[in-house]
């Protein structure tokens, strides 16, 4: 980076501070572009908290270069691998922002993401918000799919399925407090957003604009629908502490939502 950008700091104390939570694990091919998408935000009063989960690639080295040039970027390397939930919780604990947002180490934000989302939340007295997003492949090419955000998302609806793309979600930490994810293997983000809606006592609101880019990997959990079944069952059984019978009933509701309702919000971006 140019010398004049060393230790960059923007004086935006009159604006709310947004804490951005990014867990890192072996994401060297992607992390530079992810960080750059934050640096390029039109809204500049943010802090980016990156927690490394004992990566074995050169991702931490890439992060340190950015960390050394921008005081808003904070890096926490861990020597032991403890999982994404631990990393997100560690960053959340360290966060000092008025709002908390999430961005995984391989995803990207639209340059106006924070500006538009903050304005939307402030104008609508909203404590929990999310947005539509586009899907890209490992090389960053469009997959011609967009996931549309619901305009309103109730606790009941979110209980049936996770409708919030984690890379687009943001909550008001001043009004809701910091929300710590349960230490479960998968679906921690679902738990966080369900809890946020519960605490807020009102529905989450969705922006209809595409404000982020979700990278789909060939071996990703999301691509294996059947493998997700056991994690969704565990969400009800372990996290919500439901009985086997109630967990099974909720899983049936999940199936209906996943195969009958969610597809309505996945649209092609290719013109007819």
């Amino acid at each position: 980076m140019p010398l004049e950008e060393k230790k960059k700091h923007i004086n935006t104390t009159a604006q709310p501070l947004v804490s951005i939570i990014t867990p890192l694990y072996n994401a060297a091919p992607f992390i530079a572009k992810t960080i750059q998408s934050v640096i390029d935000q039109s809204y500049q009063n943010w802090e980016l908290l990156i927690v490394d989960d004992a990566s074995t690639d050169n991702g931490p080295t890439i992060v340190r270069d950015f960390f050394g040039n921008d005081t808003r970027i904070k890096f926490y390397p861990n020597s032991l691998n403890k999982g994404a939930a631990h990393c997100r919780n560690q960053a959340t604990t360290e966060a000092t922002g008025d709002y908390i947002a999430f961005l995984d180490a391989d995803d990207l934000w639209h340059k106006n993401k924070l500006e538009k989302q903050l304005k939307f939340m402030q104008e609508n007295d909203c404590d929990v918000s999310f947005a539509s997003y586009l899907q890209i492949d490992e090389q960053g090419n469009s997959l011609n799919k967009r996931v549309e955000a619901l305009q309103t998302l109730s606790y009941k609806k979110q209980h049936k399925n996770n409708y919030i793309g984690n890379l687009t979600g943001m909550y008001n930490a001043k009004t809701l407090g910091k929300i710590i994810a349960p230490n479960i293997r998968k679906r921690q983000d679902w738990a966080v957003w369900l809890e946020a809606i519960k605490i807020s006592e009102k529905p989450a609101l969705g922006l209809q604009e595409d404000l982020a880019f979700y990278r789909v990997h060939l071996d990703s959990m999301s691509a294996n629908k059947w493998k997700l079944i056991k994690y969704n069952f565990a969400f009800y059984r372990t996290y919500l502490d439901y009985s086997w019978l109630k967990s099974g009933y909720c899983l049936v509701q999940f199936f209906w939502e996943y195969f009958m309702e969610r597809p309505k919000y996945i649209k092609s971006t290719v013109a007819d």
Side-chain angles (χ1 to χ4, degrees):
M1 293 183 182
L3 182 62
E4 60 269 21
E5 292 186 10
K6 288 283 186 178
K7 292 297 178 182
K8 181 180 179 182
H9 180 72
I10 307 298
N11 183 13
T12 52
T13 54
Q15 298 174 308
L17 177 67
V18 180
S19 295
I20 305 161
I21 309 300
T22 299
L24 173 69
Y25 180 70
N26 289 352
F30 316 111
I31 186 61
K33 289 186 177 180
T34 298
I35 296 174
Q36 194 62 50
S37 77
V38 175
I39 293 174
D40 291 342
Q41 288 294 299
S42 57
Y43 186 88
Q44 288 286 299
N45 198 29
W46 49 261
E47 62 175 1
L48 175 60
L49 301 96
I50 303 173
V51 179
D52 178 58
D53 199 21
S55 293
T56 57
D57 63 7
N58 68 330
T61 301
I62 296 171
V63 172
R64 284 188 179 95
D65 182 55
F66 284 96
F67 166 71
N69 289 283
D70 194 323
T71 59
R72 297 171 298 174
I73 299 173
K74 302 174 182 180
F75 184 49
Y76 306 90
N78 289 326
S79 58
L80 297 177
N81 181 275
K82 297 184 178 181
H86 173 86
C87 292
R88 290 191 181 109
N89 288 341
Q90 182 179 347
T92 298
T93 300
E94 297 286 347
T96 61
D98 304 294
Y99 292 81
I100 291 181
F102 297 85
L103 179 64
D104 282 351
D106 54 351
D107 295 331
L108 306 169
W109 277 353
H110 185 281
K111 65 180 181 179
N112 295 326
K113 194 264 188 187
L114 289 180
E115 179 183 358
K116 290 188 174 183
Q117 196 163 5
L118 274 173
K119 181 180 179 182
F120 175 83
M121 294 180 74
Q122 292 169 342
E123 289 180 347
N124 291 279
D125 189 26
C126 172
D127 288 329
V128 185
S129 73
F130 57 112
S132 302
Y133 60 92
L134 300 170
Q135 294 184 351
I136 57 176
D137 65 15
E138 293 180 347
Q139 289 71 46
N141 302 311
S142 173
L143 291 175
N144 298 319
K145 286 185 179 180
R146 68 188 302 262
V147 180
E148 292 184 351
L150 284 70
Q151 290 187 344
T152 61
L153 177 62
S154 67
Y155 180 89
K156 181 178 180 180
K157 186 77 169 176
Q158 177 70 358
H159 181 273
K160 295 177 182 178
N161 213 287
N162 184 15
Y163 279 95
I164 296 180
N166 202 48
L167 73 166
T168 73
M170 186 188 300
Y171 68 83
N172 188 332
K174 290 189 71 175
T175 58
L176 304 185
K178 295 180 181 180
I179 300 173
I180 301 300
N183 191 22
I184 53 179
R185 176 64 179 158
K186 296 290 181 181
R187 315 308 275 165
Q188 315 97 352
D189 55 334
W190 187 4
V192 166
W193 297 117
L194 187 66
E195 182 69 11
I197 295 172
K198 180 180 179 181
I199 296 173
S200 71
E201 298 183 337
K202 53 187 177 183
L205 301 182
L207 288 81
Q208 304 306 296
E209 294 185 67
D210 303 323
L211 297 182
F213 303 86
Y214 175 78
R215 198 179 302 271
V216 178
H217 298 276
L218 293 177
D219 60 346
S220 70
M221 286 294 300
S222 297
N224 190 338
K225 297 180 177 61
W226 294 110
K227 195 172 182 180
L228 286 174
I229 294 173
K230 71 174 184 179
Y231 293 112
N232 291 329
F233 181 82
F235 173 80
Y236 293 115
R237 182 76 179 101
T238 304
Y239 170 60
L240 293 177
D241 198 27
Y242 291 166
S243 67
W244 280 86
L245 183 61
K246 186 172 182 178
S247 297
Y249 173 74
C250 290
L251 192 59
V252 171
Q253 290 186 314
F254 165 83
F255 280 135
W256 173 266
E257 208 76 15
Y258 194 91
F259 291 109
M260 303 303 293
E261 293 296 323
R262 281 185 68 98
K264 298 176 183 178
Y265 301 99
I266 302 176
K267 305 294 180 63
S268 173
T269 59
V270 178
D272 294 333

